[in-house]
Amino acid sequence: MASSKKPVKAAKPPQKKPKSPAVRGAVPARRVPEPDVAKADPRLFDPLTPGEIADALRTLTEDRRLATMAKVGRYRVICTEPLVVKPPHWMAGHRLVRVVAFDYAADRTVDACVDLDAGVVAHLELTKAQPMLSRDEEALAVSIAMVDDRVREQLALGDMPQSTLHYWGRSPDDLAFARRSAAVVFGRGDGHASIVAIVDLLENIVTQVVPAELW
Amino acid sequence: MSNVITEANWKFHWRLTESAGIMIYLADYRGRRVLWEASLPYVTIDHQHEALEVEGDPGDVHGPWWIPLGTRTLQGPVRVQSFRGGVELSAAFAAGPYNYTQLWRFHDDGRLCPWLTIYGPGIHDQHTYHPHWRFDFDLDGARHDAFERFEDAQWQRVEREGWFPYSGEADDHGNVWRQIDVGSGAAINIRPHSWDDAEVFAIRYHDGEWAPYSPRSAAGAQTFPSAYVGDESLDGDDVTLWYVAHVHFSQSFPYTAGPWVKVAGFGA
């Protein structure tokens, strides 16, 4: 193990182009002291209270950029967690909430940072990325799979849903390549898996049923 | 239980996240800031088929899947335990045929072990786990960082963002990558597990490029953290590191993945 007392001798930085004469003669700029990350307030990382979550969701759904999403109402909040940004960002020191939602009507993800101190959506990204499944989506996927005839035909006595995972297909031929999907694994209580059912969460249908050993 | 722990020359905070296991934040060693935050954003799993003939091998037919390690999969409480020379946090997570124990071990000599023990049968034997750890080290301040890898028998400065797999070459202590604070000379050394088939992504820190809530980017696009990798300069800036292990299931499981991380250059 390297000694923990000696400073590490860094490798030489990459060679840079020679500076122009004008720059070479310039007086080096003074290093401006930066805001100290060591003085960050740990309470900003604390779990959100129910009131803070409600505040963040109200602020988000009242934002004009998300008016359509809020009006149509086909979205699910995936998670809400505290977010802490580093100085010198202007939001450093503010109580922030990261809200991630999936907008089914637009088939897109809403990834927002709500500044509770200012009462605004401070950062908003609308992307085609897909966040994890919410607990509601997991429960929905199980309920859809449980009533599917192909699934029921293949279930053995004692089989039950073991877990629900966020799945996406590898090939464009696979419906789950671009569409929000869940994999419901069925099996026995001892951990042995029997079948995998892929559920399309946009149409609420089972698109594949595969014996676990062939997955 | 308090979420701040002061023990073994470390002071750190922790909390259980919704999807990234136990997150460690604002960690100091010997009174100096080491870490802004670190977590295990996800463990993806993909499956392979056992084919004896190359011609008949359909390749990876199905895509990967994953389940959040967090409050919904937690089994029992998060445990805080002292051991000789340190303190550790551990939490067990279960999702059907997949089981994990996440560990954060802090040693009084500056070592830090973000580990994940993987067990459970899976749905069949031919599957591979890909745990992804994200580290935002802030050694003596957020900026003035440099990233280096051990290559051609010496430490080499890495100028730009990228993906840096373990090539089998390491320094005398087994370290393969390191992040240095240029101002103070303090460093974080990263030593991979020999069997992790590990790689590190070095990415310039940006607000907005926080730990994603899924590896899944847009359809057909690179997954995270690859999707964050551009061509930005790292030298002298704030660097975020991702350590990714690739662990194929075998009968010898359980297997504990994850690097050894060691703080160096901090005086007593």
Side-chain angles (χ1 to χ4, degrees), chain A residues 4 11 86 130 138 177 215, chain B residues 72 124 214 216 238 266:
Chain A
S4 63
K86 295 181 187 179
Q130 283 202 12
E138 288 182 1
F177 180 72
W215 182 259
Chain B
R72 77 181 77 168
H124 60 65
S214 166
R216 175 76 153 78
D238 188 4
F266 275 26

Side-chain angles (χ1 to χ4, degrees), chain A residues 1-16 31 34 36-42 45-47 78-89 91 98 100 111 113 123 125 128-135 138 162-171 174 176-179 183 185 190-193 196 198 208 210 212-215, chain B residues 3 13 15-19 23 25-26 29 33 36-37 44 46-49 60-68 71-72 95-98 109 111 121-124 136 138 141-144 148 155-157 159 173 178 180 183-185 187 189 191 205 207-208 210-220 223-224 235 238 262-268:
Chain A
M1 284 289 166
S3 162
S4 63
K5 295 180 180 174
K6 293 179 184 171
V8 173
K9 187 181 177 189
K12 288 181 181 173
Q15 292 287 321
K16 291 182 178 155
R31 189 167 149 173
E34 290 176 1
D36 194 352
V37 290
K39 295 195 173 91
D41 182 356
F45 290 83
D46 284 350
I78 307 298
C79 66
T80 48
E81 289 205 287
L83 177 70
V84 188
V85 301
K86 295 181 187 179
H89 195 284
M91 287 193 295
R98 187 161 173 207
V100 176
D111 193 340
C113 169
H123 179 89
E125 281 188 38
K128 288 291 183 184
Q130 283 202 12
M132 63 183 183
L133 301 178
S134 67
R135 293 176 194 228
E138 288 182 1
Q162 288 185 332
S163 59
T164 307
L165 302 103
H166 179 205
Y167 170 73
W168 61 95
R170 201 179 292 280
S171 152
D174 187 342
F177 180 72
R179 297 165 67 89
V185 176
D190 63 3
H192 176 82
V196 176
I198 301 300
Q208 291 183 66
V210 181
E213 67 272 18
L214 298 180
W215 182 259
Chain B
N3 75 333
H13 302 74
R15 74 175 172 87
L16 184 66
T17 65
E18 190 62 31
S19 64
M23 184 176 94
Y25 58 93
L26 303 183
Y29 178 66
R33 177 58 39 87
W36 176 263
E37 66 175 44
T44 54
D46 58 15
H47 297 80
Q48 301 82 38
H49 285 279
D60 294 345
V61 178
H62 301 111
W65 62 35
W66 76 293
I67 193 160
T71 47
R72 77 181 77 168
Y98 306 108
D109 63 358
R111 277 178 296 158
I123 61 168
H124 60 65
D136 186 355
D138 278 348
R143 291 170 61 90
H144 311 296
E148 297 181 351
W155 286 103
Q156 309 259 12
R157 184 72 57 89
E159 273 186 84
H173 307 288
R178 66 184 186 184
I180 295 177
S184 69
N189 292 303
R191 184 180 109 195
Y205 175 88
D207 288 305
W210 300 301
Y213 282 106
S214 166
R216 175 76 153 78
S217 184
T223 52
F224 296 110
D235 223 25
D238 188 4
K262 183 161 192 207
V263 181
F266 275 26

Side-chain angles (χ1 to χ4, degrees), chain B residues 149 164-170 174 176-177 192-195 197-200:
Chain B
R149 71 186 300 203
F164 307 98
Y166 173 42
S167 64
E169 204 176 359
V176 175
W177 308 277
H193 187 311
S194 308
W195 301 107
D197 189 17
E199 58 198 13
V200 162

Side-chain angles (χ1 to χ4, degrees), chain B residues 46-92:
Chain B
D46 58 15
H47 297 80
Q48 301 82 38
H49 285 279
E50 206 161 10
L52 295 177
E53 292 174 18
V54 175
E55 265 187 36
D57 184 0
D60 294 345
V61 178
H62 301 111
W65 62 35
W66 76 293
I67 193 160
L69 302 189
T71 47
R72 77 181 77 168
T73 45
L74 182 69
Q75 306 293 301
V78 176
R79 294 173 295 278
V80 181
Q81 291 172 289
S82 297
F83 61 89
R84 196 159 95 165
V87 60
E88 70 180 32
L89 291 171
S90 62

Side-chain angles (χ1 to χ4, degrees), chain A residues 198-215:
Chain A
I198 301 300
V199 177
D200 182 317
L201 291 167
L202 288 173
E203 298 291 338
N204 292 345
I205 53 169
V206 173
T207 56
Q208 291 183 66
V209 182
V210 181
E213 67 272 18
L214 298 180
W215 182 259

